[in-house]
Amino acid sequence: MQLPPSLRAAIDRELHGIPLADLTRAADALSQRYRAEVQDGRMHLSDDAAARAYLTTRLPATFAATSAALAAVAGARSDFAPRTVLDAGAGPGTASWAAVHHWSTLESATLVEGSPAIRAIGQRLGLPLAHVSWVAGKLGTALDLSRRDLVLLAYVLDELPETAREALIRQLWTLTGDALVIVEPGTPAGWKRILHARDLLIQAGAHILAPCPHAQPCPLAAPDWCHFSARVARSRLHREAKGGTVPWEDEKFIYIAASRQPGTQPEARVIAPPRTSKAAVTLKLCQEDGYAADRVYAKRAGDSFKIARRLDWGDIVRK
Ligand SMILES: C[S@@+](CC[C@H](N)C(=O)[O-])C[C@H]1O[C@@H](n2cnc3c(N)ncnc32)[C@H](O)[C@@H]1O
């Protein structure tokens, strides 16, 4: 996954002239805070250095993950043509950029962001929509927001105290005209937060669009957990700031997409990397009956083997 050229160019302008050593130092500090899921009352992106490090090393990954989740929504709801989007905990507006990438019908975006440093950068990046309004406010407090066709909450739940999450999900669902998409890091803890959100949304009457092909309890049990992977192209600066050698990284993520309208229900979704041999493809599937199981497609089965061989982690098996 490559960033849209206009976003890539805006990021390059923002980072122009910043010494690599400063970016690397800030990227290290940010990565430690994210890894430890630090909650010390300070926002992770509280200053310019952290905000620029986010642009360099995290935005490409959160864009790729959110984009994959939105692609699943578009696949489940070919009639969905959102005109308005609410991006809660927008950071530099990553999820809104991903939404613009998927739906040319979008006309306006409302982005709520509590950190002045990353909000200022997001404003300068220039989300390409006719109407863009940034709200300088704290999620969880009374904010004057209206219903939007699409509501996004990408990589935010892990920054909120556990006690605040349920109220925020309920509030965002009331603000959802059609679809709500929540994305989290693809860790066991991220999966648990998504499971909790899923339960709340199902109780509130939402239809689950993706990734689950059913609304039964999740069939996975710890130490297993549901997550997916998105391959992200790294810019030269990204590689240098992270000390990486390969021109890509794999971002593990988990998401839930819920809607007021039902979507097309697949037979199953591939929930692990396929295992392929000369004689067969084995897919770990989450199925419409609510169970998860390995399914083996033998080469001698012909067409079903050919179809299975083309499927990847995260894809659906059509009915
Ligand atoms: C990891 S970043 C994700 C940004 C963006 N959604 C993305 O996917 O790239 C989390 C963002 O949520 C913001 N945030 C966290 N808690 C918040 C709150 N209570 N109110 C508003 N923004 C908040 C942070 O400042 C940060 O910009």
Side-chain angles (χ1 to χ4, degrees), residues 34 43-45 54 58-59 62-63 66 87-95 112-115 118 137-140 153-156 158-160:
Y34 280 139
M43 301 196 106
H44 297 324
L45 306 181
Y54 190 85
R58 288 302 299 149
L59 178 147
T62 65
F63 180 92
T66 305
D87 188 347
T94 327
V112 181
E113 173 51 52
S115 151
I118 194 73
K138 285 257 175 200
L139 299 168
L153 184 72
Y155 287 83
V156 180
D158 62 336
E159 296 194 14
L160 302 178

Side-chain angles (χ1 to χ4, degrees), residues 6-256:
S6 56
L7 177 56
R8 177 79 270 154
I11 292 171
D12 289 347
R13 277 196 300 277
E14 194 62 42
L15 298 173
H16 183 72
I18 307 294
L20 178 63
D22 293 357
L23 273 179
T24 307
R25 202 175 315 111
D28 283 349
L30 188 61
S31 155
Q32 275 171 30
R33 285 184 69 87
Y34 280 139
R35 234 178 266 134
E37 297 197 352
V38 173
Q39 294 204 353
D40 57 3
R42 268 181 56 219
M43 301 196 106
H44 297 324
L45 306 181
S46 58
D47 58 35
D48 289 347
R52 284 193 292 256
Y54 190 85
L55 278 196
T56 317
T57 60
R58 288 302 299 149
L59 178 147
T62 65
F63 180 92
T66 305
S67 201
L70 298 184
V73 172
R77 285 281 311 283
S78 56
D79 61 321
F80 184 45
R83 289 174 46 241
T84 55
V85 59
L86 169 65
D87 188 347
T94 327
S96 296
W97 279 87
V100 169
H101 185 64
H102 281 277
W103 289 288
S104 58
T105 50
L106 277 172
E107 294 165 4
S108 84
T110 307
L111 302 96
V112 181
E113 173 51 52
S115 151
I118 194 73
R119 198 170 57 238
I121 288 183
Q123 285 167 329
R124 287 197 294 272
L125 291 182
L127 182 68
L129 286 180
H131 306 282
V132 178
S133 85
W134 284 84
V135 177
K138 285 257 175 200
L139 299 168
T141 61
L143 295 172
D144 186 17
L145 298 169
S146 335
R147 261 197 173 195
R148 296 290 184 248
D149 299 334
L150 174 64
V151 175
L152 304 170
L153 184 72
Y155 287 83
V156 180
L157 278 182
D158 62 336
E159 296 194 14
L160 302 178
E162 203 172 337
T163 48
R165 291 179 197 148
E166 184 166 330
L168 177 63
I169 290 160
R170 290 187 195 284
Q171 183 196 17
L172 292 182
W173 179 242
T174 64
L175 291 169
T176 301
D178 192 324
L180 167 63
V181 181
I182 306 176
V183 187
E184 281 286 290
T187 57
W191 171 61
K192 283 203 181 125
R193 289 189 287 267
I194 288 289
L195 277 187
H196 183 219
R198 180 181 186 268
D199 287 347
L200 293 171
L201 291 167
I202 290 173
Q203 277 166 26
H207 299 276
I208 299 301
L209 296 181
C212 329
H214 59 82
Q216 312 287 327
C218 177
L220 301 188
D224 198 3
W225 77 100
C226 187
H227 63 294
F228 303 96
S229 184
R231 182 152 287 190
V232 185
R234 282 175 161 175
S235 64
R236 186 184 51 80
L237 196 58
H238 186 168
R239 273 204 306 277
E240 288 173 356
K242 271 202 154 174
T245 48
V246 288
W248 47 264
E249 71 181 5
D250 289 327
E251 171 70 7
K252 303 292 192 302
F253 68 100
I254 179 66
Y255 67 100
I256 191 79

